[in-house]
Amino acid sequence: MELRSFLLGGSIAVTALFASAFCTRHVTAPVVDTIPADSGISPVTFKQPPQQYGIRCWWWWLNGNVTKEAITRDLEEMKRKGFSGACIVDAGGQNQQGNGDVPEGPMFGTTTWRELFVHAVQEAHRLGLVLSVSIQSGWNLGGPDVTPEEATKHITWSEATVAGPLKTPLTLPLPPVHDNYYKDIVVLAFPKKKISADRPAIRDLAVKAAFKEGNRSGFDTEKLLEDVAASPGEEDVLAEDIVVIPGKPDDAGKIYWQVPAGEWTVMRFGYTTSGAEVSTASGKWQGRVIDYMNAVYFNRYWNTHVEPLLKSIGPLAGTTLRYLQTDSWECGGINWSDNFAAEFKNRRGYDLSVYLPIVAGKIVGDRKTSNAFLADFRKTIGECIADNHYRIFAERAAQHGIGIQPESAGPHAGPLDGLKNYSFSEIMMSEFWSPSPHRAHIEDRYFVKQASSAAHIYNKTLVGAESFTTIGRHWNDVPWATMKPAFDHEVCSGLNLVHLHTFTCSPKEMGLPGQEYFAGTHINPNITWWELSTAFFDYLKRCQYIQQQPGTTVTDILYYYGDHVPNIGHLKEYDPAKILPGYDYDLINEDRLLSLQVNDGKLVLPHGVTYRMLVLPETKILSLAALQKVHELVQAGALVIGFKPEHLVSLSAYPQSYTIFQRYADELWGNIPAATGERKHGKGTVIWGKPVRAVLEAAGIAPDFEVVAAHHQYDYIHRIVQKQDIYFVSSQHETETSGEFAFRITGRQPELWNAVTGEVIPARAFRQENGKTIIPLHFDPYGSIFVVFRKPISVQQQGSSTSNTAIYTAIVSLTGSWQVLFDSAKGAPASVIFPELGSWTANPELANYSGKAIYTITFDVPTRKKNQRYCIALNNVQDIGIAEVKLNGKNMGTTWTPPFQLEITAALKDKKNILQITVINSWRNRLVGDRSLPPERRHTKTNITLKPEWTLLEAGLLGPVQIQNMER
């Protein structure tokens, strides 16, 4: 006998579990990419959400090698599987990491390419799908026609020592030049000073001066506001001692300056191209990256390459084609543009010329001054990128009724303010990774929290992500084990729109599994399990249906993440306010901080979203504008938590700004605050030195979600939709877990909404106490559940049971011989008898088989009772872990999560039950078998190199297969 438990409740003992929940559904109504406001979520709609809530994908046009036939096939399959749309990404990458090439198709934007694009848009319109398109091939915006003048630029310089007095013209060496392109900025001179060879360099200067990117996952950028300890007299020069030599050198490098007596350092500053190139582009779409800081160059690119695309589809621009895309920043540093000096003076209020030696590693004034200039320098770069690139991108797209969805906020720490860049997007596009050697740790895999914070503070609905990215895996991803937990993790961070990475368009001439990008989880109609994939896609769709509903996310804390650049948010667990688990937070930047107001002691954004407290960064650094706003908020009644800010890291309005800064800080925190304290000011309070959780608890604000009795950790997200409270709870454990969970709500009947099955049942076991509803829950491996509070009940009402689980008892174990049918065209016998269940790899004739197999067995259940409910549990299905069950000719559904269980009550008989189980494994074993064969004898064809380290994976139905009855 086997006992196990499952979520249960309601007047019916158990819902129809998986039965018929995963049948393929065709929705013929066109997609409307808006989220309608209604009376809240509906169990009926949850069971079968309309297509508009379906997932999307990066639709990879690999090396441009696509055909109209393949385009139509892909779009029709997306429609059949319930996708809401796709993003066309023309890109290369097929031959990276030692993989093979694929034929080169038409170059992006050419007449032939546009014909394919127009065909795709027209077909998407016919099918009611939403399209996006990346506005280039590859990423790092640019292309073959970008001139050096239009390209990303770096400051460059030369240095000479001159002895005076001297009245003859100076001939200055040309600074290092790239791309045969150079323009002068300024020539500076200052008295030469002997500097000790032991003087520490300005720490992280290459990143501080934006010559290169920071951390690939955006970490440690706040450390750029710091430097090594200063030493007396270590400076190269004081700012007031720097001479700006009038004019610029002529073509021979000569400049006229009457050199005073003494030795002088003369520095010639100019700019050249950075050398950044478009990455991972198809075919001949190679070239320089455009200057992101100058709107002139973006507009030129738009007029040449984007406008013709949009005109080619006429009225379908803004209707079927709804979004434009560019990928993440991976082009290194950028620190100059033609108009940058003017931009800097306009934004920071002072001339940068005399501080340029700092970019070259000199210390001007002192380390504090030099570091402050570099912070101003990077902040200006970030603002220019935001205003002159992403803002212009959004404005040009809006002229066609189109939104933008660029990955504009990392994770690579380019000179970006991630939240500000997101402000121009309609879809806050981020990314997350499935387990992969390239990004093996969770801090390098999950990035959605920043995107959802942007959606919340800028009043946007859709939080998208390039989803299930990997490098190194090929056709061995398991939906329940590698994909579902990653998705669930990011749902808890605010994700509500998956974009599969990657759905590669593969013309039939490319064979099976066909052409593939070197990275990403391969999901397209060429995968072996596409036929049964609807079950997995429906799970994602149900979650998205719930999470896309208009409403608010319950977040008690607003964390100000500073005004420094780069500034990239991290995964939720980074927890900068240190409030996890059980509470949630949003990030806010300086741009949106300045829009906050206070109402009844709560912080309020212009669109009405509220927070209980503002937490300041631990750096003890604020901008003057931020500190002034904090002062205003506290005066108006806000509660602010954080240490007294100690200094500015900016030269704007110096030294007056420092005096004003100190006055505001003293008014809020006092002159010399103790290590821990609390201080009233106006109607509000500042608290410092105390854990934020302790402050929340002291204010009577209990955790929103608590694990009361369990041995594992869980994550959650809480949203309110039309006065309905909706919690999504995720177990990130590969084994079954159970526990009691407390939710900060009472007076509502808890309901359990299972997105795997689509079933909704009221919880029968719960108790209400101390302002909380406590519910016992059970989770299958990597399980998840929506806990919904919709219907009012008395706060005195308690549940009528002690458990929300059902007990499954095995009454029949299906032993004996199984007949298994294989596809003989794929190198296997047509039929094999299995005396007992086992892996295909144990049979030499089946070891390299990849594809579908149908298991058949006949069995009796002599103890069957009419009023009893029954399930079948497959228990172990390899390697994809997906199976379809038919009993006595009736389709019982598809199962893809352990214990691979389906209800069979409606079809079960006492005797002569005919059971058919369809199991599909991945391409991996066939590829391993083909590895040693010459191409003409292989069953597969792909550009992906078949690696020698690949081994056979267990495959098939391993069981034991059991018939179970179900009891509360």
Side-chain angles (χ1 to χ4, degrees):
M1 177 183 290
E2 176 186 287
L3 300 179
R4 63 174 305 277
S5 55
F6 192 79
L7 286 169
L8 179 67
S11 57
I12 299 176
V14 152
T15 61
L17 289 182
F18 300 81
S20 74
F22 301 119
C23 299
T24 302
R25 294 187 272 277
H26 303 280
V27 181
T28 57
V31 170
V32 179
D33 202 31
T34 57
I35 311 303
D38 57 21
S39 59
I41 58 174
S42 159
V44 174
T45 308
F46 178 69
K47 180 77 171 179
Q48 188 172 338
Q51 183 188 351
Q52 73 184 73
Y53 298 106
I55 63 172
R56 299 179 188 174
C57 63
W58 282 174
W59 187 20
W60 217 260
W61 288 16
L62 188 66
N63 208 26
N65 184 38
V66 299
T67 63
K68 289 183 178 180
E69 179 185 20
I71 287 170
T72 295
R73 189 278 301 256
D74 283 356
L75 290 171
E76 288 180 345
E77 286 298 309
M78 292 179 203
K79 171 77 173 186
R80 189 168 71 89
K81 292 297 180 180
F83 286 35
S84 64
C87 179
I88 299 170
V89 180
D90 185 292
Q94 68 280 355
N95 52 13
Q96 293 187 34
Q97 292 203 337
N99 294 299
D101 220 330
V102 303
E104 181 180 337
M107 187 174 75
F108 175 85
T110 60
T111 300
T112 306
W113 194 95
R114 283 205 304 270
E115 289 177 2
L116 295 166
F117 170 70
V118 170
H119 176 74
V121 177
Q122 290 173 340
E123 287 291 84
H125 177 71
R126 174 177 68 86
L127 295 165
L129 296 169
V130 169
L131 279 190
S132 311
V133 65
S134 177
I135 62 172
Q136 69 171 110
S137 182
W139 49 88
N140 300 333
L141 187 62
D145 63 342
V146 175
T147 66
E149 182 182 24
E150 299 172 318
T152 54
K153 300 171 183 72
H154 278 173
I155 295 172
T156 185
W157 65 90
S158 65
E159 183 176 332
T161 299
V162 179
L166 185 67
K167 296 183 178 181
T168 59
L170 300 179
T171 301
L172 302 177
L174 184 70
V177 173
H178 185 269
D179 229 353
N180 199 31
Y181 177 83
Y182 174 81
K183 299 287 184 182
D184 278 299
I185 300 173
V186 69
V187 177
L188 305 174
F190 49 88
K192 187 173 182 64
K193 179 180 178 181
K194 184 173 178 59
I195 300 298
S196 169
D198 296 330
R199 184 188 76 179
I202 296 174
R203 190 169 64 194
D204 299 321
L205 179 62
V207 179
K208 287 183 175 179
F211 283 106
K212 70 176 188 178
E213 299 170 359
N215 181 277
R216 69 171 183 162
S217 298
F219 286 103
D220 299 328
T221 59
E222 70 281 358
K223 294 180 180 179
L224 298 177
L225 298 173
E226 306 167 357
D227 199 6
V228 300
S231 299
E234 67 175 345
E235 74 280 353
D236 290 273
V237 63
L238 301 178
E240 55 265 33
D241 293 336
I242 297 177
V243 177
V244 178
I245 299 176
K248 293 181 179 179
D250 63 18
D251 292 344
K254 293 182 178 180
I255 192 168
Y256 295 87
W257 178 52
Q258 189 168 326
V259 182
E263 273 199 313
W264 291 79
T265 296
V266 180
M267 300 189 74
R268 179 182 182 182
F269 285 93
Y271 59 97
T272 186
T273 61
S274 71
E277 298 281 334
V278 173
S279 176
T280 319
S282 295
K284 298 180 179 60
W285 189 269
Q286 310 298 326
R288 304 175 186 90
V289 177
I290 69 164
D291 180 349
Y292 277 62
M293 292 199 287
N294 193 320
V296 170
Y297 303 138
F298 181 88
N299 281 320
R300 199 286 301 169
Y301 181 93
W302 179 281
N303 294 336
T304 304
H305 298 294
V306 183
E307 197 71 24
L309 285 182
L310 301 182
K311 288 181 177 178
S312 71
I313 58 173
L316 298 184
T319 54
T320 297
L321 184 71
R322 287 294 314 280
Y323 304 98
L324 300 179
Q325 161 84 12
T326 55
D327 205 81
S328 55
W329 180 286
E330 297 180 26
C331 59
I334 173 175
N335 62 15
W336 200 260
S337 185
D338 316 50
N339 57 353
F340 184 74
E343 290 271 16
F344 186 94
K345 188 169 186 178
N346 181 56
R347 295 170 185 272
R348 304 282 81 81
Y350 67 95
D351 190 287
L352 56 59
S353 297
V354 299
Y355 297 99
L356 285 177
I358 299 169
V359 173
K362 308 294 185 183
I363 296 176
V364 176
D366 53 27
R367 282 189 184 270
K368 181 178 178 181
T369 299
S370 299
N371 215 42
F373 165 73
L374 289 170
D376 284 343
F377 185 68
R378 295 190 306 278
K379 185 172 182 178
T380 305
I381 293 171
E383 290 177 353
C384 287
I385 291 170
D387 291 334
N388 298 333
H389 184 84
Y390 291 112
R391 181 191 297 274
I392 302 303
F393 188 6
E395 290 174 352
R396 294 300 301 264
Q399 293 170 4
H400 296 269
I402 294 174
I404 65 170
Q405 58 173 51
E407 292 186 26
S408 57
H412 292 256
L416 312 169
D417 179 337
L419 289 176
K420 185 169 185 178
N421 289 349
Y422 271 140
S423 71
F424 307 113
S425 296
E426 188 171 340
I427 299 178
M428 311 290 106
M429 189 63 69
S430 184
E431 66 181 72
F432 70 88
W433 290 59
S434 290
S436 145
H438 182 69
R439 286 184 178 267
H441 305 292
I442 65 166
E443 62 268 23
D444 294 321
R445 291 175 50 202
Y446 297 127
F447 305 101
V448 166
K449 185 60 176 174
Q450 177 183 228
S452 70
S453 292
H456 300 160
I457 66 175
Y458 286 109
N459 195 25
K460 305 294 177 74
T461 298
L462 295 177
V463 179
E466 167 194 317
S467 304
F468 312 117
T469 302
T470 64
I471 293 179
R473 302 180 71 96
H474 293 288
W475 297 289
N476 63 332
D477 297 274
V478 179
W480 75 266
T482 62
M483 301 173 73
K484 182 181 187 294
F487 169 78
D488 291 351
H489 180 281
E490 295 297 65
V491 170
C492 292
S493 297
L495 175 71
N496 63 20
L497 184 56
V498 159
H499 288 69
L500 295 177
H501 182 260
T502 299
F503 187 120
T504 300
C505 183
S506 184
K508 63 181 180 181
E509 297 81 11
M510 301 308 296
L512 293 174
Q515 65 182 25
E516 275 296 351
Y517 179 49
F518 87 99
T521 297
H522 307 320
I523 302 182
N524 65 7
N526 286 0
I527 60 173
T528 54
W529 53 282
W530 182 257
E531 177 184 339
L532 299 184
S533 62
T534 309
F536 174 57
F537 297 149
D538 276 357
Y539 172 76
L540 306 180
K541 186 197 290 185
R542 291 189 187 106
C543 292
Q544 292 183 171
Y545 160 67
I546 297 286
Q547 297 303 96
Q548 287 181 19
Q549 295 302 308
T552 57
T553 301
V554 177
T555 46
D556 294 307
I557 295 299
L558 192 58
Y559 179 81
Y560 176 56
Y561 83 160
D563 73 312
H564 58 282
V565 170
N567 205 353
I568 308 295
H570 312 304
L571 76 169
K572 181 177 179 180
E573 291 91 330
Y574 188 67
D575 189 18
K578 296 180 174 57
I579 59 165
L580 301 183
Y583 298 99
D584 205 349
Y585 66 93
D586 276 332
L587 304 173
I588 194 167
N589 59 347
E590 183 184 69
D591 174 55
R592 210 59 178 153
L593 177 76
L594 300 180
S595 72
L596 285 172
Q597 299 297 323
V598 179
N599 185 10
D600 194 25
K602 292 185 178 180
L603 299 152
V604 186
L605 284 163
H607 52 284
V609 172
T610 63
Y611 301 87
R612 297 177 187 266
M613 302 175 188
L614 175 68
V615 178
L616 303 180
E618 292 185 348
T619 58
K620 302 181 183 179
I621 295 170
L622 293 180
S623 70
L624 180 57
L627 179 57
Q628 287 174 319
K629 186 65 182 184
V630 169
H631 185 276
E632 173 192 316
L633 294 171
V634 174
Q635 184 85 23
L639 174 56
V640 174
I641 304 173
F643 289 102
K644 181 180 181 179
E646 295 177 348
H647 60 277
L648 285 166
V649 184
S650 172
L651 299 181
S652 292
Y654 177 82
Q656 296 91 339
S657 58
Y658 280 59
T659 301
I660 297 169
F661 182 93
Q662 194 62 52
R663 175 167 59 85
Y664 278 121
D666 288 347
E667 285 183 8
L668 288 178
W669 281 270
N671 292 334
I672 307 176
T676 301
E678 179 175 328
R679 199 164 189 265
K680 297 283 186 180
H681 181 79
K683 297 179 181 179
T685 306
V686 290
I687 298 175
W688 64 94
K690 298 179 181 179
V692 179
R693 289 183 66 92
V695 176
L696 285 163
E697 290 166 1
I701 304 168
D704 192 23
F705 169 80
E706 290 180 89
V707 181
V708 178
H711 300 295
H712 300 281
Q713 296 228 344
Y714 302 80
D715 201 2
Y716 84 105
I717 188 169
H718 176 195
R719 300 186 72 247
I720 299 176
V721 175
Q722 297 290 327
K723 299 182 179 180
Q724 301 174 356
D725 285 78
I726 303 167
Y727 290 80
F728 177 79
V729 182
S730 166
S731 165
Q732 292 284 302
H733 306 285
E734 62 181 352
T735 59
E736 293 183 39
T737 61
S738 297
E740 283 194 333
F741 303 85
F743 302 84
R744 194 176 64 196
I745 184 174
T746 57
R748 299 281 183 88
Q749 167 67 48
E751 300 170 345
L752 307 178
W753 295 47
N754 188 332
V756 172
T757 67
E759 304 304 329
V760 175
I761 53 177
R764 300 199 53 183
F766 66 91
R767 64 185 187 273
Q768 300 184 81
E769 59 186 36
N770 300 321
K772 304 173 186 177
T773 301
I774 301 172
I775 309 172
L777 297 173
H778 172 84
F779 292 88
D780 287 328
Y782 295 126
S784 59
I785 196 75
F786 285 97
V787 182
V788 178
F789 298 85
R790 295 188 302 156
K791 301 175 182 178
I793 59 173
S794 167
V795 294
Q796 270 72 48
Q797 181 176 329
Q798 308 298 339
S800 59
S801 177
T802 59
S803 174
N804 287 310
T805 61
I807 296 176
Y808 292 79
T809 305
I811 57 172
V812 175
S813 291
L814 302 187
T815 57
S817 296
W818 295 73
Q819 181 186 37
V820 186
L821 303 181
F822 294 89
D823 185 349
S824 59
K826 295 182 178 178
S831 178
V832 176
I833 300 297
F834 279 65
E836 59 182 9
L837 295 175
S839 175
W840 301 344
T841 55
N843 184 333
E845 292 186 299
L846 301 174
N848 298 124
Y849 180 79
S850 288
K852 178 170 68 174
I854 302 174
Y855 289 72
T856 302
I857 196 171
T858 302
F859 66 94
D860 298 333
V861 184
T863 60
R864 186 180 74 90
K865 300 176 182 178
K866 287 186 178 180
N867 295 325
Q868 178 68 57
R869 305 189 72 171
Y870 296 91
C871 290
I872 185 170
L874 310 184
N875 287 303
N876 192 353
V877 182
Q878 297 293 338
D879 61 343
I880 291 298
I882 193 165
E884 180 186 69
V885 174
K886 292 181 180 179
L887 182 61
N888 299 321
K890 296 180 180 180
N891 191 330
M892 298 289 98
T894 300
T895 176
W896 61 279
T897 59
F900 307 104
Q901 188 177 46
L902 293 166
E903 184 175 12
I904 58 171
T905 305
L908 187 66
K909 303 187 300 186
D910 297 346
K911 295 183 179 181
K912 297 183 179 179
N913 290 282
I914 301 173
L915 175 65
Q916 289 184 318
I917 302 172
T918 298
V919 174
I920 302 176
N921 71 329
S922 71
W923 280 113
R924 178 56 69 90
N925 289 350
R926 183 66 268 166
L927 293 168
V928 169
D930 283 359
R931 184 173 55 201
S932 60
L933 300 176
E936 65 274 10
R937 292 184 54 201
R938 292 180 178 180
H939 294 268
T940 58
K941 181 181 179 182
T942 181
N943 62 297
I944 299 299
T945 299
L946 311 183
K947 303 294 178 62
E949 62 269 23
W950 290 0
T951 58
L952 294 176
L953 303 177
E954 281 195 323
L957 177 61
L958 276 60
V961 177
Q962 298 169 325
I963 308 302
Q964 303 170 332
N965 64 24
M966 207 159 37
E967 299 286 351
R968 283 197 298 181

